[in-house]
């Protein structure tokens, strides 16, 4: 036994051990399915869907969802509706979508229900789970589907919080926490701060602007208070006039000191004695020189001291590792941009969540610093790789883990001023490749090479006016070529038209032929007065450029009249006639198209119906589809109009001589046509016997079959097959339409009440009703246990089984599904129950007297008495009713029972009718359109060869009027003593028994 059989508590029978058990197979199967269905519901799986929505979607039509073009029958997860109660699993269709069978009720939508999406741009490869908490009411509760797996499933909630550090050795791979710690450590090194979470004092962009600036910190060359000193374009810088001993000396201060010393020396020299003038002058000069040297030295020392102080302050600010401009390291703070800080802050806040995605769940990541950022959104590995790429770009190292060769602060100290640089000496630069067209500096070598190439380029076309006479021309161009070289071009304005072959002499370098583009000598008039022509030297002769290209080979007859064409021989005038627009109408004879030009026109269209053109034949481009019906072909259908048989042939071609349309019927033979009657040329040979003839009746054929017992029930299906049961037997028997035995079907109990309806045979066996398929009578039947025995009626598509005292009626549909149980009368002696086509019951109750009472009511409701009829009811009662209750036949009486009271229509005597009495001998059966059939003894007369007794037979009549109107009466036998019979209005056949226990089959209107 399978493991889930016991787990799910499924019912299972073992023939070896449970063979004697009695159980209902249908009930057991239904119980098992209920248990399996309940177990599957707990699994919470809805299987897969082809696509899932990504936005609010119209729930109809074969549309494209998430990049998937839907086909009819595709399952779709709808999860983004504006009205959340519309979410769920649907099946796509060309019209309105319907919810999938496994998700179309509240009971099938439990929390935790999940499914997999097979395709889609956004949702393909993902699975989603129904995340609603508590009970779900389909169509009311807003359904929420959360992503369970696939790309993006590990969101911040799933990943959870992480605690990173900024003091590890960076590595290219590792857990999420490890990689984040590596990044934090590198960020701290870049900013130079004590923590990766501390922002830098200045950003990298600001540092770059400072480093790139020509005049940093607002430095100026003029002596301005509280500003840094900068050199001007000549390399000089100015300071304010010194006032203290330690101030920087200016040139004007030094010059003044020198002037003062010189003046003092001059004064002292003048007061010296004349004798000492020379010595005094020498001494004064010496002292003046000494004073000048001392003043200059003092000024230089002072300037140097102050310049060193400025440099010291600038070094302290910029430094080679100081906090202001230094690149961040693992232990020293440095610059970091606001964007970098935001990213790090985002890592800290975005890593939080429920903590379900631990480092072990996320696993190690290997990041690459080779991919530049392309956006703001990506996977964890992508974002970490982008960050590593930016670090590599900032440091300029081989990879993101390599420390920079120099810090930003060090680079800042090495930068030279970029403002208006002045070159001295002989500056050199790389020589660009010939043809370079960029802002790169052009060297003298580049310029010289470009000029030489330009000068050597023959493509430059100089212009000159020709001199000389016709056909012998001369020109002088500038710059003058040293020699005629291939490719040399010139533009010449002709001073006179040519009259034949032409030469030209350029700058006295010798006369050269002027040829056409085909290399031919020029013809007269090729060069016109004042015409400007371009000539290019090919190394031998000058070739005329742009003269019109190739000529064709058209002759005058190929050129339209009134037009001309250029040829190698000159202009040719056309002679082709212009016929204008031409139109043609197809006809049986050929039509001539005139020679010459036509501007268009038309040929009238020929509309041909392909179905009217023989297959294999093409007319006006239409290939025929009409089949060739050669020989004999069967007709499609036929109809009879009066004495005319009309045959509908199949579509196609027939030759009218030997191709026939045929109809075949096995019954169309002489033996089936009365003698002396000819039908379609077939002369009849059939001669009926007197036993086959009734009076006032059509012709009949009768076949007798020995049955060997008294039937208890007979039924006929629409195929003409007959089913019979025997009293007290558990079998029933099938015969074909000609009375041949087919098969026996056995049941476990006695068989009764055989009735055919549509393509089914219904019968009662004990307290169970069975339904057989007449096309597979040996197959397993459908059954229903009524819990009681009774009598069977089928009317208006409903099955009624009733049992008297107290009266109980069970109603089922033709699939044997219970529609209701009814107990309208309690204690009444019910002898008959009839139903019309409207579910109205007519109940006959034996009152124990010569009269009886009839009741009427709808199934399931109350009944009321509608009147009494003459004669006590017998069992079984010979009665039936039409579709609407307007004709109720009971014995030889007819009533209108459609109202609240019975209204008598007729009450026939024995000697003027062929209706059964109430003794239970005979048959009354309603067959539609107010027509009834009866099986009874005829009281209106006798029939040969039975002149002394009224024969038993069959009659068919209309009950619409005040008296029965007989369609026919037939008397196949005169020995009937009991009538267990049936009639089929489709086949038109009787089946009945005689006292010889023989089955007789009578074919109506043969």
């Amino acid at each position: 036994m399978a493991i889930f059989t016991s787990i799910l508590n499924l019912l299972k029978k073992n023939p070896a051990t449970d063979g004697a058990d009695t159980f209902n197979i249908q009930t057991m199967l239904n119980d098992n399915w209920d248990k399996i269905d309940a177990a599957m519901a707990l699994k919470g799986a809805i299987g897969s869907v082809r696509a899932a929505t990504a936005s609010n979607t119209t729930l109809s039509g074969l549309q494209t969802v998430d990049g998937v073009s839907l086909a009819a029958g595709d399952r779709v997860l709808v999860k983004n509706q504006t009205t959340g109660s519309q979410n769920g699993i649907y099946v796509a269709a060309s019209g309105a979508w319907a919810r999938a069978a496994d998700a179309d009720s509240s009971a099938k939508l439990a929390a935790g229900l999940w499914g997999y999406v097979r395709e889609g741009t956004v949702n393909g490869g993902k699975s989603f789970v129904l995340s609603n908490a508590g009970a779900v009411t389909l169509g009311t509760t807003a359904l929420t589907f959360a992503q369970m797996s696939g790309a993006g499933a590990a969101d911040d909630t799933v990943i959870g919080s992480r605690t990173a550090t900024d003091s590890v050795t960076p590595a290219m791979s590792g857990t999420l926490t490890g990689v984040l710690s590596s990044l934090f450590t590198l960020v701290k090194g870049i900013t130079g701060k004590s923590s990766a979470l501390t922002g830098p004092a200045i950003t990298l962009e600001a540092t770059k602007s400072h480093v790139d600036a020509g005049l940093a910190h607002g430095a100026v060359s003029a002596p301005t208070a509280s500003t840094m000193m900068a050199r001007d374009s000549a390399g000089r810088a100015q300071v304010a006039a010194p006032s203290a001993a330690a101030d920087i000396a200016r040139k004007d201060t030094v010059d003044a000191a020198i002037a003062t010393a010189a003046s003092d020396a001059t004064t002292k020299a003048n007061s010296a004695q004349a004798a000492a003038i020379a010595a005094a002058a020498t001494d004064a000069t010496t002292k003046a020189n000494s004073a000048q040297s001392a003043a200059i030295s003092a000024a230089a020392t002072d300037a140097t001291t102050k310049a060193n102080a400025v440099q010291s302050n600038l070094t302290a600010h910029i430094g080679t590792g100081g906090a202001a401009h230094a690149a961040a390291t693992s232990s020293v703070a440095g610059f970091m941009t606001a964007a970098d800080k935001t990213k790090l802050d985002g890592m800290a806040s975005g890593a939080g969540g429920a903590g379900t995605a631990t480092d072990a769940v996320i696993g190690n990541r290997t990041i690459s610093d080779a991919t530049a950022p392309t956006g703001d959104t990506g996977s964890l590995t992508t974002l970490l790789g982008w960050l590593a790429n930016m670090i590599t770009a900032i440091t300029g190292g081989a990879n993101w883990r390599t420390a920079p060769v120099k810090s930003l602060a060090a680079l800042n100290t090495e930068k030279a001023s970029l403002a208006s640089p002045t070159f001295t000496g002989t500056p050199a630069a790389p020589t660009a490749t010939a043809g370079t067209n960029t802002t790169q500096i052009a060297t003298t070598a580049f310029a010289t090479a470009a000029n030489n190439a330009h000068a050597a380029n023959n493509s430059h076309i100089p212009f000159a006016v020709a001199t000389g006479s016709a056909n012998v021309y001369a020109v002088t161009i500038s710059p003058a070529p040293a020699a005629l070289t291939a490719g040399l071009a010139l533009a010449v304005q002709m001073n006179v038209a040519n009259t034949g072959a032409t030469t030209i002499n350029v700058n006295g370098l010798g006369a050269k032929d002027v040829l056409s583009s085909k290399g031919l000598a020029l013809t007269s008039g090729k060069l016109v007065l004042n015409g400007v022509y371009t000539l290019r030297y090919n190394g031998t002769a000058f070739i005329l450029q742009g003269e019109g290209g190739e000529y064709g080979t058209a002759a005058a007859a190929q050129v339209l009249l009134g037009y001309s064409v250029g040829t190698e021989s000159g202009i040719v005038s056309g002679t082709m006639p212009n016929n204008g627009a031409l139109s043609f109408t197809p006809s049986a004879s050929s039509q001539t198209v005139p020679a010459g030009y036509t501007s268009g026109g038309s040929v009238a269209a020929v509309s041909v119906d392909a179905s009217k053109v023989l297959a294999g034949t093409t007319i006006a481009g239409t290939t025929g589809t009409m089949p060739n019906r050669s020989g004999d072909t069967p007709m499609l259908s036929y109809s009879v109009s009066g004495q005319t048989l009309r045959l509908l042939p199949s579509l196609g071609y027939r030759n009218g001589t030997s191709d026939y349309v045929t109809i075949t019927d096995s019954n169309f033979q002489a033996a089936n046509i009365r003698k002396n009657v000819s039908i379609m040329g077939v002369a009849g040979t059939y001669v009926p016997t007197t036993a086959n003839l009734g009076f006032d009746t059509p012709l009949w054929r009768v076949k007798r079959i020995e049955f060997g017992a008294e039937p208890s029930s007979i039924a006929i299906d629409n195929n003409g097959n007959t089913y019979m049961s025997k009293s007290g037997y558990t079998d029933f028997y099938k015969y074909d339409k000609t009375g041949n035995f087919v098969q026996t079907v056995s049941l476990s109990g006695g068989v009764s009440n055989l009735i055919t309806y549509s393509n089914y045979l219904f019968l009662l066996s004990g307290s169970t009703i069975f339904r057989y398929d007449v096309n597979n009578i040996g197959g397993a039947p459908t059954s229903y246990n009524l819990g009681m025995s009774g009598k069977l009626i089928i009317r208006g598509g409903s099955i009624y089984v009733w049992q008297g005292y107290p009266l109980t009626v069970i109603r089922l549909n033709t699939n044997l599904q219970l529609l209701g149980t009814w107990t309208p009368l309690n204690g009444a002696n019910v002898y008959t129950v009839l139903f019309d086509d409207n579910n109205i019951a007519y109940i006959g109750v034996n009152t124990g007297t010569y009269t009886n009472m009839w009741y009427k009511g709808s199934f399931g409701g109350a009944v009321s008495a509608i009147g009494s009829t003459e004669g006590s009811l017998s069992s079984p009662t010979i009665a039936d009713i039409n579709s609407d209750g307007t004709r109720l036949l009971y014995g030889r009486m007819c009533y209108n029972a459609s109202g609240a009271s019975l209204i008598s229509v007729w009450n026939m005597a024995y000697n003027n009718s062929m209706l059964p009495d109430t003794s239970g001998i005979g048959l009354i059966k309603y067959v539609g359109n107010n027509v009834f059939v009866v099986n009874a003894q005829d009281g209106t007369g006798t029939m040969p060869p039975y002149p002394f007794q009224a024969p038993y037979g069959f009659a068919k009549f209309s009950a619409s009027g005040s008296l029965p109107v007989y369609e026919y009466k037939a008397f196949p036998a005169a020995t009937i003593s009991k009538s267990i019979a049936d009639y089929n209005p489709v086949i038109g056949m009787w089946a009945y028994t005689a006292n010889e226990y023989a089955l007789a089959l009578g074919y109506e209107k043969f």
Side-chain angles (χ1 to χ4, degrees):
M1 180 179 292
I3 183 172
F4 287 106
T5 301
S6 58
I7 292 176
L8 301 180
N9 194 26
L10 301 180
L11 301 175
K12 184 175 183 180
K13 294 295 183 180
N14 187 342
T17 58
D18 306 325
D21 290 358
T22 300
F23 58 89
N24 188 306
I25 295 177
Q26 183 176 3
T27 301
M28 183 177 75
L29 290 175
N30 287 339
D31 289 345
N32 281 348
W33 276 118
D34 289 343
K35 293 175 181 178
I36 293 171
D37 186 62
M40 290 304 295
L42 295 177
K43 297 297 182 184
I46 58 175
S48 68
V49 296
R50 186 181 180 196
T53 63
S55 61
N56 189 66
T57 301
T58 301
L59 302 180
S60 64
L62 298 178
Q63 54 187 287
T64 298
V65 172
D66 192 19
V68 180
S69 297
L70 298 179
D74 285 343
R75 290 164 56 89
V76 183
L77 171 60
V78 177
K79 59 181 180 64
N80 302 95
Q81 294 302 97
T82 303
T83 303
S85 59
Q86 295 178 352
N87 288 337
I89 310 299
Y90 288 81
V91 177
S94 58
W97 292 4
R99 291 185 185 269
D102 56 355
D104 60 357
S105 66
S106 301
K108 298 176 183 177
L109 297 176
L113 188 73
W114 64 273
Y116 176 75
V117 183
R118 302 193 304 275
E119 301 178 40
T121 303
V122 176
N123 297 316
K126 299 178 181 179
S127 62
F128 294 86
V129 61
L130 181 63
S131 59
N132 291 72
V136 169
T137 301
L138 190 62
T140 301
T141 305
L143 304 182
T144 302
F145 289 88
Q147 185 178 346
M148 182 178 179
S149 66
D155 56 15
D156 287 346
T157 301
V158 174
I159 293 174
S161 299
R162 291 291 184 274
T163 299
T165 180
D166 56 8
S167 57
V168 300
T169 299
M172 287 294 289
S173 62
T175 65
L176 173 61
T177 302
V179 173
L180 289 174
S181 296
S182 295
L183 291 172
F184 278 123
T185 300
L186 287 170
V187 168
K188 186 177 74 171
I190 292 171
T191 62
K193 296 295 184 181
S194 60
S195 170
L197 303 181
T198 302
I202 187 169
T203 66
L204 293 174
E205 287 297 325
T207 300
K208 182 178 185 303
S209 298
H210 176 76
V211 170
D212 291 343
L215 297 175
H217 299 285
V220 295
S221 59
T224 304
S226 302
T227 59
M228 293 186 66
M229 182 171 59
R231 295 178 177 86
D232 61 14
S233 59
R236 296 186 293 270
Q238 297 179 0
V239 297
S243 61
D247 289 349
I248 296 175
R250 299 195 320 187
K251 180 178 180 295
D252 59 348
T253 303
V254 174
D255 289 344
I258 294 174
T260 300
S263 178
D264 180 65
T266 300
T267 299
K268 291 179 179 180
N270 289 335
S271 62
Q273 292 181 2
I277 290 175
T282 300
D283 182 65
T285 299
T286 301
K287 291 182 179 181
N289 290 338
S290 177
Q292 182 179 14
S293 297
I296 292 172
S297 176
T301 300
D302 183 60
T304 300
T305 299
K306 291 185 177 181
N308 289 338
V310 172
Q311 181 63 42
S312 177
N313 292 335
L314 183 60
T315 300
H317 179 67
I318 298 176
T320 59
H325 290 272
T329 66
S330 60
S331 60
V332 180
F335 283 149
M336 179 178 70
T337 66
D340 291 338
K341 183 177 184 302
T342 299
K343 291 177 182 178
L344 294 180
D345 292 343
M347 291 181 187
S349 61
T356 55
T358 63
D359 285 349
V361 174
I362 297 175
N364 292 342
R365 293 289 188 274
T366 299
I367 62 176
S368 170
D369 56 10
T371 302
T374 59
D376 298 321
T377 304
S379 66
L380 177 61
T381 302
T382 298
L383 292 173
L384 294 176
W386 289 351
L387 188 56
N389 178 269
M390 293 302 296
I391 292 174
T392 303
I394 293 171
T395 62
N399 55 57
W400 68 289
R401 304 183 312 280
T402 303
V405 176
K406 289 186 178 182
S407 67
L408 295 176
L411 292 174
N412 189 44
T413 62
E414 297 176 2
K415 180 197 179 289
S417 175
L418 299 178
S420 303
T422 299
F423 296 108
T424 59
T426 307
T431 299
T433 304
T436 300
N437 184 18
T438 66
T439 58
Q440 181 178 350
I441 294 175
T443 63
T444 55
F446 178 86
T448 300
N451 186 56
N452 292 339
H454 179 79
N457 188 350
N458 286 331
S459 64
H460 299 286
I461 303 175
F463 173 80
V465 177
T467 59
S469 60
N471 305 331
V472 181
Y473 301 98
V475 293
T476 301
I477 61 175
S478 179
L484 298 179
T485 59
L488 175 65
L490 66 152
V492 181
Q493 181 176 354
M494 309 311 298
N495 62 323
V496 61
N498 79 310
T499 59
T502 302
T503 63
I504 190 168
N505 191 332
V506 178
N507 287 70
L509 295 176
K512 300 294 181 182
D513 290 331
V514 178
L515 305 177
S516 70
S517 61
K518 291 179 177 281
L520 303 176
L522 300 187
T523 59
S524 176
K526 196 71 171 180
L527 305 177
V528 299
L529 175 64
N530 293 325
V532 178
Y533 300 90
T534 300
L535 306 178
R536 189 173 294 276
Y537 190 63
N538 67 359
T540 303
F542 281 94
I543 307 300
L544 183 63
Q545 305 292 292
E547 60 167 325
E550 301 291 337
Y551 288 114
T553 60
Q558 283 90 46
V559 180
L560 190 62
L561 182 66
Y563 293 87
S564 60
V565 65
T567 69
E568 292 291 354
S569 301
I571 301 298
V572 174
S573 296
T575 60
M576 178 192 298
N578 188 341
N579 297 316
L582 299 177
S583 297
F584 296 90
T585 300
S587 65
S589 59
S590 62
Q591 301 180 60
T592 301
V593 179
Y597 165 79
T598 177
S599 61
S602 63
V603 177
V606 179
S607 178
V608 179
D609 185 348
S611 65
K612 294 180 173 56
V613 179
L614 187 63
T617 301
T618 300
I619 298 178
T622 300
T623 301
T625 61
M626 178 193 298
N628 190 345
R629 305 295 187 186
S630 177
D632 292 352
T633 55
M635 55 84 196
L636 295 179
S637 63
Y638 72 92
S639 63
V640 177
S641 176
Q643 295 178 328
T644 301
L645 176 63
R646 297 184 297 184
L647 305 182
L648 180 65
S650 55
L651 178 66
Y653 168 79
R654 293 172 175 81
N655 60 18
T657 58
S658 60
D659 297 342
Y660 293 94
V661 178
T662 62
I663 180 172
T664 302
D665 191 326
S666 60
N667 291 320
F668 184 56
Q669 51 184 302
N672 293 332
I673 302 174
R674 282 189 300 174
K675 187 175 182 180
N676 300 324
V677 175
S678 177
I679 300 177
M680 302 295 179
V682 178
T685 61
Y686 173 68
V687 179
T689 64
T690 56
N692 297 117
L693 295 174
F695 61 91
D696 190 22
T697 177
L699 191 64
W700 286 75
R701 172 192 282 183
V702 176
K703 181 174 182 178
R704 295 179 182 274
I705 303 169
E706 293 297 327
F707 192 52
E710 180 180 311
S712 62
S713 183
I714 296 177
I716 308 170
D717 66 24
N718 291 339
N719 299 317
N721 301 305
T722 302
Y723 307 88
M724 294 201 316
S725 63
K726 299 179 181 180
S727 298
Y729 282 72
T730 59
D731 305 321
F732 69 89
Y733 311 90
K734 178 180 180 180
Y735 295 83
D736 65 17
K737 64 184 297 183
T738 58
N740 297 311
F741 173 76
V742 177
Q743 71 184 101
T744 299
V745 179
S746 300
L747 288 84
S748 60
V751 178
S752 62
N753 280 141
L754 299 175
I755 297 179
T756 57
Y757 185 84
S758 184
N759 288 320
Y760 298 107
L761 170 69
F762 297 88
L763 59 86
L764 294 177
S765 178
S767 61
T768 303
I769 182 172
F770 291 88
R771 186 190 75 174
Y772 288 85
D773 186 341
V774 298
N775 297 312
N776 184 23
I777 204 68
T782 301
S783 64
Y784 182 81
N785 191 339
L786 300 165
M788 69 177 196
S789 59
K791 298 178 178 63
L792 179 63
I793 304 169
I794 302 180
R795 285 296 292 270
S798 291
I799 300 172
Y800 305 92
V801 180
W802 64 275
Q803 173 182 273
Y805 206 82
L807 175 60
T808 301
V809 184
I810 297 175
R811 182 185 178 199
L812 306 97
N813 62 21
T814 54
N815 291 322
L816 300 189
Q817 295 171 324
L818 180 65
L819 300 179
T821 301
W822 185 37
T823 306
L825 294 172
N826 188 10
N829 192 10
V830 176
Y831 267 34
T832 188
V833 176
L834 306 174
F835 278 91
D836 64 18
D837 291 347
N838 300 313
N839 199 30
I840 306 296
Y842 304 84
I843 305 168
V845 177
N846 190 347
T847 61
T849 64
Y850 186 69
T851 60
N852 52 75
M853 184 62 66
W854 286 85
Y855 294 83
K856 176 182 177 183
S858 297
F859 181 90
V863 298
S864 58
I866 59 174
S868 62
T869 59
E870 297 180 8
S872 59
L873 293 171
S874 300
S875 180
T877 297
I878 307 304
D880 207 349
I881 194 167
N882 67 351
S883 299
D884 57 5
T886 57
R887 290 296 184 267
L888 189 157
L889 269 66
Y890 160 55
R892 291 186 173 87
M893 293 170 283
C894 177
Y895 298 90
N896 185 338
S898 62
S901 302
L902 285 175
I903 300 174
S904 176
V905 178
W906 75 68
N907 189 345
M908 305 292 289
Y910 166 73
N911 58 4
N912 62 2
S913 72
M914 191 178 179
L915 293 166
D917 57 27
T918 59
S919 64
I921 306 300
L923 168 74
I924 297 178
K925 181 174 182 179
Y926 177 65
V927 296
N929 296 322
N930 283 330
V931 175
F932 292 81
V933 292
V934 298
N935 174 25
Q937 188 176 20
D938 184 23
T940 63
T942 61
M943 173 186 174
Y946 313 104
F948 305 109
Q949 66 181 49
Y952 276 93
F954 306 99
K956 185 175 184 181
F957 63 89
S958 171
S960 297
S962 58
L963 290 173
V965 178
Y966 288 93
E967 181 180 332
Y968 63 78
K969 296 178 182 180
F971 305 95
T975 58
I976 298 174
S977 61
K978 202 164 190 179
S979 298
I980 306 297
D982 195 15
Y983 170 80
N984 184 286
V986 177
I987 299 299
M989 175 168 57
W990 283 95
Y992 66 97
T993 61
N995 56 5
E996 294 94 346
Y997 301 135
L999 173 66
L1001 303 179
Y1003 291 78
E1004 181 183 78
K1005 291 186 177 180
F1006 177 73

